[in-house]
Amino acid sequence: MVTMFCFKPRSFTAWALMALTLSAAAQTTVRGRDFIVAVVDSVPITNHDVIQRAPQLRDQLQQQGRAIPVGDALLKAALEKLIVEKALIQYAKEIGVTVEDESVDQAEQRLAAQSQLNLEALHKKVKAEGSSVERLRQNLRDQLVLQRLTERNVPGRIKVSDVEIDQAVRERQNASIDTNPDIELGHILIAVPEKANESEVATLEAKAQTLLGNLKRGDDLARMAKEFSNGAERDKGGLMGLRPANRYPTLFVDATKPLKVGEVVMVRSGAGFHVLKLVTKKASSVVTITQTHPRHILLRPGGQLSQTSARAQLAEYKRQIEAGKADFAKLAREHSQDASGPEGGDLGWVSPGMFVPEFEEAMNKLQPGQMADPTVSRFGVHLIQVLERREAPISERELRDMARNHLREKKFDETYQLWAQEVRGRAYVEYRDAPQ
């Protein structure tokens, strides 16, 4: 198994570590007096805390397309967010959830990389904006604690029934009728010889138009195909067989897409005139997913190699490859620190959800043949290239697993909110002066 593979039980971006810590790194000194607005289990929340959280909450609501409170209402909503967060952190301490320094170091490095800074520059920026490195790291530690606490408590509360899975599978299968339905076409070919003159072509076109009109009036397809068609399926009653639409010629699919079952149309190709009848159209019995075939070069910062140096080195590899001066597979074999290195960085065909979110997000943006800029993940720094993509059939079991995971994703936020409010309800909360 390649070391950077990681099934993604649930993307944490809606409540992401980086989204929360970016504002922590950008805290500014509040002019004027500060005061306590609430206390949660002896932990104070200050007016300064609320003012810093309010813009972040506004941005999150805007990204989610939700209504944004204004004025005092926004400050009140930010205060409630902080109260829940403080209650959760206190609960985490009670049950012994901890975060090691190494994890905080990695989170700090990811934050620096996302800000396109090295650690030294990030620290200078934090200090220049009135905060401190210690406060930044404490915010990072708190958010990691909250993430671990949530991952420990929420997934087990999410319940997905077989009835819900059955319904989701049916919806997915029915959706295939619009994307890649199973169709069967009736086909009559009036072949046009390669050296036919205009008069001969016109005569053959008139013949095809007559057959088209006869089919519209209800004449028998099988009889007409056997008598007039030059196509290979003439002895099969003109029927081309039931199969997924993407296994028919694109010309035929495009021409028959607007048709209802029983309707006919005529198209021209290099072979001649094709009279087509849509005999059957139904949801595909084969459900497919988009698979990607990527490769990558992984450098793991540590020792003499900093994250900044790793990114610069991979950026140079990318430049050399694009200029035709280096070969991706050769560089991967020589330099990649992943188990895929000896295979030229080749990761094979992969389905959605098989990589960590940072890697998968960068990969999904690429067209076949393209390379991403160096990408930072929890495993290190990657140079990613997509080789090709395909639609691959999935088994009924795989389809049900996908449906179950999708339903769990949809229920995660609601379940989290209910659980967080339970924890908040057990905490002692004392309101003081209203935030200003």
Side-chain angles (χ1 to χ4, degrees), residues 143-161:
Q143 300 313 318
L144 286 169
V145 166
L146 290 173
Q147 180 175 343
R148 291 186 181 181
L149 180 69
T150 301
E151 290 172 347
R152 179 184 296 186
N153 286 273
V154 174
R157 293 169 171 252
I158 301 173
K159 305 300 180 186
V160 177
S161 69

Side-chain angles (χ1 to χ4, degrees), residues 36-96:
I36 295 174
V37 295
V39 176
V40 182
D41 288 337
S42 77
V43 177
I45 298 174
T46 68
N47 190 61
H48 172 84
D49 296 330
V50 176
I51 291 173
Q52 292 300 324
R53 181 56 59 90
Q56 177 191 314
L57 176 60
R58 182 183 60 236
D59 293 344
Q60 289 176 339
L61 293 173
Q62 186 174 20
Q63 290 172 4
Q64 296 167 1
R66 296 168 58 186
I68 301 173
V70 296
D72 291 344
L74 178 61
L75 294 178
K76 183 177 179 181
L79 172 59
E80 291 304 317
K81 282 278 188 182
L82 284 166
I83 289 173
V84 171
E85 185 175 311
K86 297 297 184 185
L88 289 172
I89 290 173
Q90 288 298 107
Y91 177 59
K93 290 179 180 178
E94 292 173 11
I95 64 174

Side-chain angles (χ1 to χ4, degrees), residues 9 23 79 82 175 185 232 277 336 342 400 406 410 433 435:
S23 65
L79 172 59
L82 284 166
L185 299 181
K277 180 177 182 178
S336 182
R400 290 185 68 82
H406 179 66
K410 290 176 63 176
D433 296 331

Side-chain angles (χ1 to χ4, degrees), residues 227-333:
E227 184 174 351
F228 299 107
S229 180
N230 304 119
E233 54 284 317
R234 59 176 295 172
D235 293 329
K236 299 177 183 178
L239 298 178
M240 301 184 75
L242 183 66
R243 55 184 127 150
N246 60 12
R247 291 179 53 198
Y248 271 96
T250 302
L251 176 67
F252 290 7
V253 175
D254 291 343
T256 58
K257 200 169 188 177
L259 302 184
K260 296 178 181 178
V261 172
E263 293 183 337
V264 293
V265 68
M266 187 179 79
V267 293
R268 171 77 189 270
S269 77
F273 297 96
H274 305 267
V275 180
L276 301 169
K277 180 177 182 178
L278 181 59
V279 178
T280 305
K281 182 177 183 180
K282 63 180 183 179
S284 178
S285 57
V286 178
V287 179
T288 63
I289 57 171
T290 301
Q291 291 186 325
T292 303
H293 183 190
R295 58 183 176 180
H296 79 140
I297 300 171
L298 172 66
L299 299 181
R300 300 178 186 273
Q304 299 297 316
L305 182 67
S306 68
Q307 188 175 92
T308 301
S309 298
R311 294 175 68 199
Q313 188 172 332
L314 290 174
E316 176 60 18
Y317 290 165
K318 180 185 179 187
R319 188 192 66 77
Q320 292 177 7
I321 294 166
E322 290 176 336
K325 297 180 179 179
D327 178 72
F328 194 110
K330 186 173 184 293
L331 289 174
R333 284 190 290 269

Side-chain angles (χ1 to χ4, degrees), residues 379-395:
F379 295 101
V381 188
H382 312 260
L383 180 62
I384 306 167
Q385 183 181 41
V386 168
L387 298 174
E388 49 189 331
R389 283 199 172 90
R390 70 182 182 188
E391 290 296 317
I394 58 175
S395 66

Side-chain angles (χ1 to χ4, degrees), residues 2-6 296 298 338 347 354-356 359 379 382:
V2 177
T3 56
M4 54 81 60
F5 272 77
C6 177
H296 79 140
L298 172 66
D338 185 65
L347 297 171
M354 291 187 67
F355 294 132
V356 292
F359 187 101
F379 295 101
H382 312 260

Side-chain angles (χ1 to χ4, degrees), residues 321-368:
I321 294 166
E322 290 176 336
K325 297 180 179 179
D327 178 72
F328 194 110
K330 186 173 184 293
L331 289 174
R333 284 190 290 269
E334 293 174 352
H335 302 288
S336 182
Q337 295 172 286
D338 185 65
S340 64
E343 306 300 323
D346 197 323
L347 297 171
W349 286 104
V350 296
S351 299
M354 291 187 67
F355 294 132
V356 292
E358 305 93 334
F359 187 101
E360 189 152 318
E361 182 179 353
M363 180 187 73
N364 289 342
K365 293 178 181 178
L366 300 176
Q367 296 298 319

